[in-house]
Amino acid sequence: MNISQVKRILRNYLSDRASDKEKMLIEEYLQQAWENKELPADADIHRLVVLDNIRKAIRPKVYLRWISAAAASILILVLAGTSYNYRDEITEWIHPMPKILVVAEKFRIKKILLPDSSIAILNAGATIEYPENFRGKFRAVRINGEAYFDVVPDKHPFVIESPNLQIKVLGTSFVVTDSNTTLLPKVSVKTGKVAVAAANFTQQISADEELIFDLFKNQINIVHHQDINTDWTTKSLVFNDNSLKEVFAILTDLYKIQIRCKDVDITNQKFTGAFEANDDLDDILRILEVSYRLHILKNHDGIIIK
Amino acid sequence: MQDVALIRNGDQKAFETCFNHYWPSLYSFALKILGNSADAKDVVQQVFISIWARRDKLNITTSLESYLHQAVKYQSIKKLQEIINRPEDLEHVQEFILPVLNDIWQKMETADIFKQIDHQLDKLPGKTKEIFMLSRKQQLSISEIAGRLNISEKTVRNQLHIALKALRHHIAVAVVMSQLMS
């Protein structure tokens, strides 16, 4: 049987013109698929993606037709005065912009291009939530953890909400370190000017300055002439005294390749170091090979380390 | 049936619960039929979106489970047709889908031949058929058959000859088929 025969059989089957034998072929194929189906390990991730797509597709469109004409006209009169100021909030309320959530897992550094071409780089463990498109007066994102921002200048201020701070900028580069667990949230400015606000203060800082908010004493400290450390932003993976076992596990996950190492003396060794964003798997393996005098063999179904 | 009623009433929560519940079996089913995750996701997604869109007219006579199973089956076949027409998927089709179909097709052909042989056997006189069965299916020798049926070896040989002559064509095909398949 060749492709054109299969095409014909499928066409017949779908238009209900298939012979008994053709029907039997397709039904047997389906039956076998049903009996031999197996759930891949990543099925649940796909479930979340599809669920999200379905939600977007079935989101009700809001029409005002359920409001009677009288009620509508009163509403319009009331809204007319105030709605101009709140038009963005109203739009957001009626038709919320879908949000994107990105997580930088353990050991991973993630670079994200935001809808306005600004760049956000998440340090390991950080998360960012931003809209599919920026709309309204502000470009607003929400973060938790450490993140570097390089904001493209625009008349719409760029606003970052972190657990303890609110940061407003026009176009600069800076690092925000704030999470649900930290006691010392801080903002370090590389270029330009940044306005930082929290519950009881608003403060502007400029290049090479660092604002540290001491949650315990409830006071802010500003460090001048600070050399802002952004070395990590060019990395893709960062390890700090982690076992090679963990390193191999993350490489397996990242490059979808099997790494086998039976020797516990090797896998228990600790590794501290970072890999550049443009290092590929071979570069990484070469570094490990040299540092630990390993023998790394590549074959068709994976990598063997001795 | 409870679920169907809730969905018909526009209960999005019940709808999502159903989706989560049936996802593993429906997704893995579509994945096995189509062989790639993107198309399998697409099929299941389409089925659920379409059910929601038609929820007030939803008429499910069987269980929701078998309704979903049928819908995924039908949409997967449609998707399979799409895949087969996609030039970039040619290699995938030739490597993973065609061999499975061919295997089934050949088993069906073989089964066909054996059915025809049985059919021909039924047309033979009773005694001839009995002797043939003893010889071929129970693997008895000519003298054993003669002893068991209390007839001469010559008669056994003659009857076998008649049977083989009648079945010659079909057996030849079966032999060729079995050689092709081994």
Side-chain angles (χ1 to χ4, degrees), chain B residues 14 35 53 76 101 123:
Chain B
S76 295
L101 284 170
K123 286 206 264 182

Side-chain angles (χ1 to χ4, degrees), chain A residues 1-3 6-7 9-11 13-14 21-22 24-34 36-40 42-44 46-47 49-51 53-55 57-58 60, chain B residues 12 15-16 19-20 23-25 27-29 31-33 37 41 45 48-49 52 69 73-74 77-78 80-81 84-85 90 93-94 97-98 100-102 104-105 108-109 112:
Chain A
M1 200 168 0
N2 57 36
I3 291 211
V6 175
K7 273 187 200 173
I9 293 175
L10 285 177
R11 201 167 49 235
Y13 185 84
L14 285 168
K21 204 167 164 190
E22 288 171 343
M24 215 158 109
L25 171 72
I26 300 299
E27 263 142 35
E28 180 60 28
Y29 180 75
L30 294 168
Q31 186 59 30
Q32 285 190 10
W34 178 255
N36 301 327
K37 67 186 188 321
E38 47 206 323
L39 199 62
D42 60 357
D44 214 49
H46 292 306
R47 178 180 64 79
V49 173
V50 172
L51 181 61
N53 288 344
I54 293 174
R55 279 183 185 154
I58 69 177
Chain B
Q12 189 175 334
F15 176 69
E16 287 184 11
F19 168 79
N20 290 334
W23 167 262
S25 81
Y27 171 67
S28 53
F29 183 33
L31 188 64
K32 195 76 197 173
I33 299 173
S37 166
K41 278 195 285 192
Q45 185 176 319
F48 276 90
I49 291 175
W52 185 256
H69 179 253
K73 203 153 103 173
Y74 181 73
I77 289 294
K78 276 176 88 169
L80 190 62
Q81 196 180 29
I84 284 181
N85 284 316
L90 195 62
V93 170
Q94 266 170 340
I97 294 177
L98 273 189
V100 183
L101 284 170
N102 260 323
I104 297 169
W105 191 254
M108 280 167 49
E109 302 253 88
D112 250 19

Side-chain angles (χ1 to χ4, degrees), chain A residues 10 51 56 62-63 78 86 88 98 100 106 114 132 148 185 217 256 267 285:
Chain A
L10 285 177
L51 181 61
K56 277 180 203 156
V62 174
Y63 299 114
V78 173
Y86 294 105
D88 300 327
I100 296 167
K106 227 173 158 187
L114 299 171
E132 257 177 21
Y148 166 86
K217 295 187 195 145
K256 306 278 172 261
T267 53
L285 290 174

Side-chain angles (χ1 to χ4, degrees), chain A residues 41-259:
Chain A
D42 60 357
D44 214 49
I45 296 167
H46 292 306
R47 178 180 64 79
L48 292 174
V49 173
V50 172
L51 181 61
D52 198 41
N53 288 344
I54 293 174
R55 279 183 185 154
K56 277 180 203 156
I58 69 177
R59 189 168 38 208
K61 309 231 177 351
V62 174
Y63 299 114
L64 292 179
R65 72 175 165 219
W66 48 269
I67 302 175
S68 72
S73 46
I74 293 167
L75 197 66
I76 287 165
L77 283 173
V78 173
L79 287 179
T82 51
S83 65
Y84 184 76
N85 292 329
Y86 294 105
R87 62 195 189 285
D88 300 327
E89 287 78 359
I90 292 168
T91 322
E92 187 61 23
W93 178 69
I94 291 177
H95 207 282
M97 179 66 72
K99 297 278 198 302
I100 296 167
L101 178 72
V102 180
V103 181
E105 299 89 349
K106 227 173 158 187
F107 315 131
R108 303 277 308 275
I109 309 275
K110 268 201 182 150
K111 187 169 176 175
I112 295 129
L113 184 65
L114 299 171
D116 64 340
S117 306
S118 293
I119 288 168
I121 302 176
L122 301 182
N123 207 340
T127 60
I128 184 169
E129 191 185 69
Y130 59 96
E132 257 177 21
N133 274 305
F134 287 126
R135 186 171 61 184
K137 286 197 276 287
F138 300 108
R139 296 173 279 169
V141 306
R142 196 188 291 273
I143 64 155
N144 190 0
E146 182 167 32
Y148 166 86
F149 286 91
D150 191 348
V151 174
V152 173
D154 188 297
K155 65 175 189 238
H156 302 290
F158 193 94
V159 177
I160 299 163
E161 290 268 4
S162 67
N164 301 296
L165 304 170
Q166 197 190 39
I167 298 134
K168 199 191 261 187
V169 302
L170 288 172
T172 53
S173 60
F174 55 97
V175 177
V176 182
T177 313
D178 186 8
S179 72
N180 296 324
T181 48
T182 188
L183 285 173
L184 288 171
K186 61 179 186 181
V187 179
S188 323
V189 182
K190 189 104 180 140
T191 63
K193 276 200 175 78
V194 174
V196 185
N200 52 358
F201 72 87
T202 305
Q203 179 77 41
Q204 194 167 56
I205 51 171
S206 358
D208 299 326
E209 288 184 334
E210 187 167 75
L211 180 147
I212 303 167
F213 180 26
D214 189 331
L215 289 179
F216 195 65
K217 295 187 195 145
N218 196 22
Q219 69 180 41
I220 54 167
N221 298 308
I222 294 173
V223 186
H224 303 279
H225 312 297
Q226 179 76 314
D227 188 16
I228 314 296
N229 176 17
T230 52
D231 289 350
W232 59 271
T233 58
T234 61
K235 308 286 192 271
S236 63
L237 290 169
V238 176
F239 296 98
N240 188 3
D241 208 26
N242 301 111
S243 69
L244 282 184
K245 194 174 168 190
E246 285 176 287
V247 177
F248 295 154
I250 200 96
L251 291 177
T252 301
D253 189 45
L254 198 55
Y255 292 98
K256 306 278 172 261
I257 187 158
Q258 187 123 38
I259 298 178

